[in-house]
Amino acid sequence: MKAMNETRITFLSRSANEGFARSAVAAFISQLDPAVDQLSDIRVALSEAVTNCIVHAYPDSIGTITVTVRLYEDGKVVIKVRDKGRGIPDIAQAMEPMYTTGGEDRSGLGFLVMETFVDKLRVRSKVGSGTTVTLEKYIHLRQTDKPV
Amino acid sequence: MDVKFERQDKTLTVFLRGEIDHHAAGGLREQIDGAVVSSGVSCLILDFSEVSFMDSSGIGLILGRYKRMCARGGRLQVCGVNARYLAMMKMAGMEKLGILYTEESATNESDE
């Protein structure tokens, strides 16, 4: 199925952009008229993915993060968060709840939160090349069974 | 993200307002830890009722403050949490840590 709408935003891995990414993605998805709860779910999941890039992909430098959002007529939203950072050597380990290589106050819950608040989570990574996190969530369109 | 402190005897209540993400958490950590040390309180209450957004950085903030209060022989309480934040706290196993939490804001207790 072809996406009916799509956006791609690229920004530097500065923490000040976490809020910007959430707002930009929420603004784009609002054309589907999502329920507040579902939009909140997406904002949280997206925030986790972007934060991971900032904290882990580029720990000692500033790199770029690209967020692509695709909207489908059946209410499916697919968000890809991609970085060209150091990559994850062991994805399964990274996704274990409470596991973190971050510093103080990092809870290690990012992936668990993402999994909980979206319908599908995929992580692809290559050490030295970067990581792509794909979040998929079905928005329940307000008018049941009618495409937007 | 803005913060308001209210001190009563040995209790310091921190009223958090706005969005708590990784960007905000660093500054919050310093402000809260500084206030606890300078006030010497033994009970820290974090009030989330005016928090409009939180991701797992907020959970890390809570856990970090919990560890510090325990290290000082004090305790931590969290209030004003909605169902979403509660779900995240449970993911971190906070119930097992014995951190008290309620949905009511701390201000309800002082409105008498």
Side-chain angles (χ1 to χ4, degrees):
Chain A
M1 192 190 271
K2 201 171 181 301
M4 65 179 205
N5 205 347
E6 173 177 338
T7 186
R8 178 168 305 183
I9 52 173
T10 298
F11 48 91
L12 298 182
S13 61
R14 296 190 186 281
S15 62
N17 291 330
E18 288 156 11
F20 161 65
R22 292 194 296 271
S23 295
V25 170
F28 187 68
I29 293 173
S30 64
Q31 63 193 270
L32 289 182
D33 197 20
V36 172
D37 273 359
Q38 295 193 300
L39 196 56
S40 295
D41 286 350
I42 291 176
R43 284 170 62 101
V44 176
L46 190 271
S47 197
E48 302 289 355
V50 168
T51 299
N52 275 354
C53 297
I54 292 167
V55 173
H56 298 291
Y58 305 110
D60 308 309
S61 61
I62 300 290
T64 57
I65 300 168
T66 301
V67 175
T68 311
V69 185
R70 288 191 178 95
L71 308 178
Y72 296 84
E73 275 190 20
D74 60 353
K76 185 169 76 172
V77 176
V78 180
I79 301 171
K80 281 193 203 282
V81 179
R82 196 170 341 126
D83 66 72
K84 294 183 181 174
R86 64 176 173 174
I88 306 170
D90 185 338
I91 295 179
Q93 181 182 57
M95 291 182 74
E96 272 169 38
M98 313 292 269
Y99 175 83
T100 183
T101 55
E104 194 182 346
D105 279 19
R106 297 307 302 162
S107 67
L109 289 174
F111 282 122
L112 179 57
V113 171
M114 280 185 248
E115 264 173 352
T116 306
F117 289 132
V118 300
D119 298 322
K120 226 192 270 183
L121 166 69
R122 272 194 312 275
V123 181
R124 275 198 338 263
S125 187
K126 187 166 174 203
V127 172
S129 290
T131 302
T132 300
V133 170
T134 305
L135 308 166
E136 233 176 78
K137 187 167 181 80
Y138 276 87
I139 301 286
H140 298 139
L141 304 175
R142 282 187 202 274
Q143 295 164 307
T144 46
D145 298 326
K146 278 192 203 162
V148 174
Chain B
M1 169 36 65
D2 95 74
V3 192
K4 200 175 70 181
F5 293 98
E6 218 169 78
R7 162 91 185 272
Q8 193 170 36
D9 301 322
K10 285 295 199 177
T11 299
L12 180 70
T13 303
V14 184
F15 295 95
L16 301 155
R17 180 205 282 259
E19 307 198 328
I20 304 181
D21 58 6
H22 162 248
H23 181 65
L28 281 174
R29 177 172 77 230
E30 279 168 23
Q31 281 189 276
I32 296 172
D33 289 349
V36 167
V37 167
S38 62
S39 62
V41 294
S42 56
C43 178
L44 176 66
I45 300 178
L46 301 176
D47 191 316
F48 284 79
S49 23
E50 301 286 309
V51 171
S52 54
F53 171 86
M54 188 177 89
D55 62 14
S56 67
S57 303
I59 301 299
L61 184 75
I62 297 172
L63 287 171
R65 268 43 301 117
Y66 170 74
K67 284 183 206 153
R68 287 198 179 227
M69 289 312 290
C70 285
R72 298 166 59 88
R75 55 177 224 279
L76 176 76
Q77 211 171 309
V78 173
C79 62
V81 285
N82 62 29
R84 178 179 300 274
Y85 305 157
L86 209 56
M88 286 196 253
M89 287 171 63
K90 286 181 181 172
M91 285 180 216
M94 280 194 197
E95 293 165 302
K96 297 183 216 135
L97 292 178
I99 298 177
L100 284 174
Y101 51 83
T102 67
E103 280 171 46
E104 295 98 48
S105 166
T107 52
N108 291 341
E109 291 156 27
S110 49
D111 280 350
E112 231 107 47

